[in-house]
Amino acid sequence: MMYHISHFPVLTAAAEKSVEFGFLPNVVAALCVFGFGMVAALIGAIKLRLAERLQIDDARVGNLIMVWALASIPMIVVVGMLSDKFGYLSIIIPGLIVTAAAMLLIGSGKTYAAVVVGALVLAVGGSCVNSAGNTLLVVLNPGKGVMRQNFGNIFFGLGAMTVPLLTAYLFKRMKFPAVLGALAGIMLLPLILSIPSSYPAAGEFLLSETLKRLVDPFVLVGGLALLFYAGVEGSMGGWLTTFFKDAGFQEGQASALLSTFWISLLSGRLITALLLAGNVLSEDQAPWVVLTVSLIIATMLLVMSAARSKPLAVVAAIIIGLSAGPVFPTSIGFILKRYPGQSGVVFGAVFAILMIGGAVIPMSVGHVSKASSIRKGLLIVAASAVMLAVMSIILGVMPLPEE
């Protein structure tokens, strides 16, 4: 059954009133999403210098990433509740400051224990900016939440791409603490805009109603859909260079092709946003858009697993990037606009489930790749894409959550 925003009077009213908040909070939302992109890419971008500085191996660096991810799972739920109860400034300003402090701590830490603490602090700050940015994109104009999510999450990709490029440049000219200090400075820049901005007021907060959202079937199915999506994106990001090397490309070529994948993913979001803005696609078609692209992803992964042609492998990877791009923002926009006043906790619940998939599925691909081959590992990713398709169908036919 299909629904239109007119079926949600509270959403229609919110869309009409969104102009009251002006342009500034939209910029803050985009910068917060950009900031979380920086957070997500940080440890991976500095891992070689960090390992050299602390004299640690890859396994201990990997443990830092795991510490950050595991700490982020409960934190994203907690900060979502805080924003629902106290409003957006309650997490935006502390989030930016704490994230910058975490970067300084990682940069100045001379022991592994100090950097572990930095990773934990990074989880707190990163969860704040992640929740604030993504929920604001929808709450400021719920009627166009899916389109705004696709536009806004281009900034996540830009933030994630900025960190490795900027650190590679700065490490040639500055010492480790100074480089992390520069990144911390970038994180603090949005404070200038966030303080004078006006935001939607926090609604009535009832803990019992908020906790219900953590087990809401609509939220859980959305979370499971994005769990499988995170498995696809995480596996492509983590193992695509391995696949290209197996396909016969040189290491430098494999790295360049990985960048091409990320660019195609951002392009997919931009294309989807433009199609929504031009009314070629409808906001309420979101589950069916996700269904379509997930089946394309599964098909292209099967092609990659069997391809012996280098050009065919590259084309398949690019198509996967284009198809994967709109999945997260389209799904999040579709889910969040159905929970006015509770977007923080709903986003937290969905994102917490997503992070489980982002950790477990790429790890499974690695084990299969080690035992057999990366091509066999891609079959796990293809299965994840099929499960994403199944979840999107369920999400599309489920009855709407009660107002």
Side-chain angles (χ1 to χ4, degrees):
M1 186 173 182
M2 303 301 291
Y3 298 88
H4 190 268
I5 190 173
S6 60
H7 297 154
F8 303 90
V10 66
L11 298 182
T12 305
E16 291 171 350
K17 293 180 180 179
S18 64
V19 68
E20 295 176 7
F21 301 104
F23 181 68
L24 211 52
N26 292 281
V27 176
V28 172
L31 290 177
C32 283
V33 174
F34 179 91
F36 182 66
M38 291 180 62
V39 169
L42 179 66
I43 298 176
I46 65 171
K47 63 181 180 180
L48 295 179
R49 294 294 182 119
L50 185 63
E52 179 183 351
R53 174 179 169 83
L54 300 180
Q55 294 298 295
I56 57 176
D57 57 21
D58 288 345
R60 299 190 81 186
V61 175
N63 288 340
L64 284 175
I65 298 174
M66 186 63 70
V67 165
W68 170 77
L70 291 176
S72 296
I73 291 173
M75 279 310 308
I76 192 69
V77 179
V78 171
V79 300
M81 290 182 178
L82 291 174
S83 68
D84 287 344
K85 182 172 178 59
F86 298 108
Y88 284 95
L89 278 181
S90 70
I91 62 171
I92 292 176
I93 294 176
L96 293 169
I97 294 172
V98 170
T99 303
M103 292 176 174
L104 292 174
L105 184 56
I106 292 171
S108 62
K110 295 182 179 180
T111 65
Y112 185 70
V115 177
V116 168
V117 173
L120 289 170
V121 176
L122 189 68
V124 176
S127 295
C128 290
V129 295
N130 182 20
S131 179
N134 276 288
T135 55
L136 268 175
L137 286 172
V138 177
V139 171
L140 287 170
N141 194 337
K144 297 181 179 179
V146 177
M147 181 199 73
R148 288 166 56 82
Q149 269 286 332
N150 274 280
F151 267 128
N153 266 277
I154 293 173
F155 287 88
F156 171 84
L158 294 175
M161 291 171 64
T162 294
V163 172
L165 292 173
L166 185 59
T167 53
Y169 173 81
L170 292 179
F171 276 138
K172 296 177 182 178
R173 294 160 176 81
M174 301 164 66
K175 293 184 178 180
F176 189 86
V179 172
L180 272 293
L183 295 178
I186 294 173
M187 284 301 307
L188 291 175
L189 289 176
L191 280 175
I192 301 170
L193 300 178
S194 63
I195 295 173
S197 297
S198 59
Y199 304 97
E204 182 182 3
F205 183 87
L206 297 174
L207 184 60
S208 59
E209 292 299 314
T210 296
L211 294 177
K212 284 182 183 179
R213 295 311 180 197
L214 298 179
V215 292
D216 188 314
F218 199 81
V219 174
L220 293 178
V221 172
L224 285 173
L226 288 173
L227 178 151
F228 291 113
Y229 167 71
V232 173
E233 182 184 305
S235 297
M236 292 298 287
W239 296 104
L240 195 56
T241 52
T242 303
F243 167 78
F244 281 130
K245 287 180 70 176
D246 180 79
F249 290 94
Q250 298 297 318
E251 185 172 341
Q253 293 174 318
S255 296
L257 289 170
L258 176 60
S259 298
T260 302
F261 166 77
W262 289 117
I263 292 170
S264 66
L265 186 140
L266 296 184
S267 300
R269 291 176 178 174
L270 177 60
I271 291 168
T272 304
L274 292 173
L275 291 174
L276 286 162
N279 295 319
V280 177
L281 294 175
S282 164
E283 297 265 328
D284 291 328
Q285 291 174 329
W288 315 116
V289 171
V290 173
L291 170 64
T292 301
V293 296
S294 60
L295 293 176
I296 294 172
I297 292 168
T299 301
M300 290 298 102
L301 283 163
L302 293 176
V303 169
M304 285 179 66
S305 68
R308 299 299 169 184
S309 163
K310 286 183 179 181
L312 180 59
V314 173
V315 170
I318 291 173
I319 293 174
I320 291 171
L322 286 168
S323 302
V327 174
F328 172 79
T330 298
S331 301
I332 285 292
F334 182 75
I335 296 165
L336 288 189
K337 73 179 189 176
R338 279 150 177 79
Y339 295 92
Q342 295 179 310
S343 56
V345 68
V346 169
F347 178 80
V350 170
F351 203 86
I353 299 171
L354 172 155
M355 292 195 74
I356 296 171
V360 173
I361 295 173
M363 181 176 64
S364 302
V365 173
H367 286 304
V368 172
S369 177
K370 183 177 180 179
S372 180
S373 69
I374 184 61
R375 292 176 183 271
K376 291 290 179 62
L378 288 180
L379 297 179
I380 295 177
V381 191
S384 298
V386 171
M387 289 305 300
L388 169 60
V390 172
M391 291 299 123
S392 65
I393 293 172
I394 296 173
L395 199 63
V397 300
M398 283 184 75
L400 291 169
E402 293 181 4
E403 296 273 352

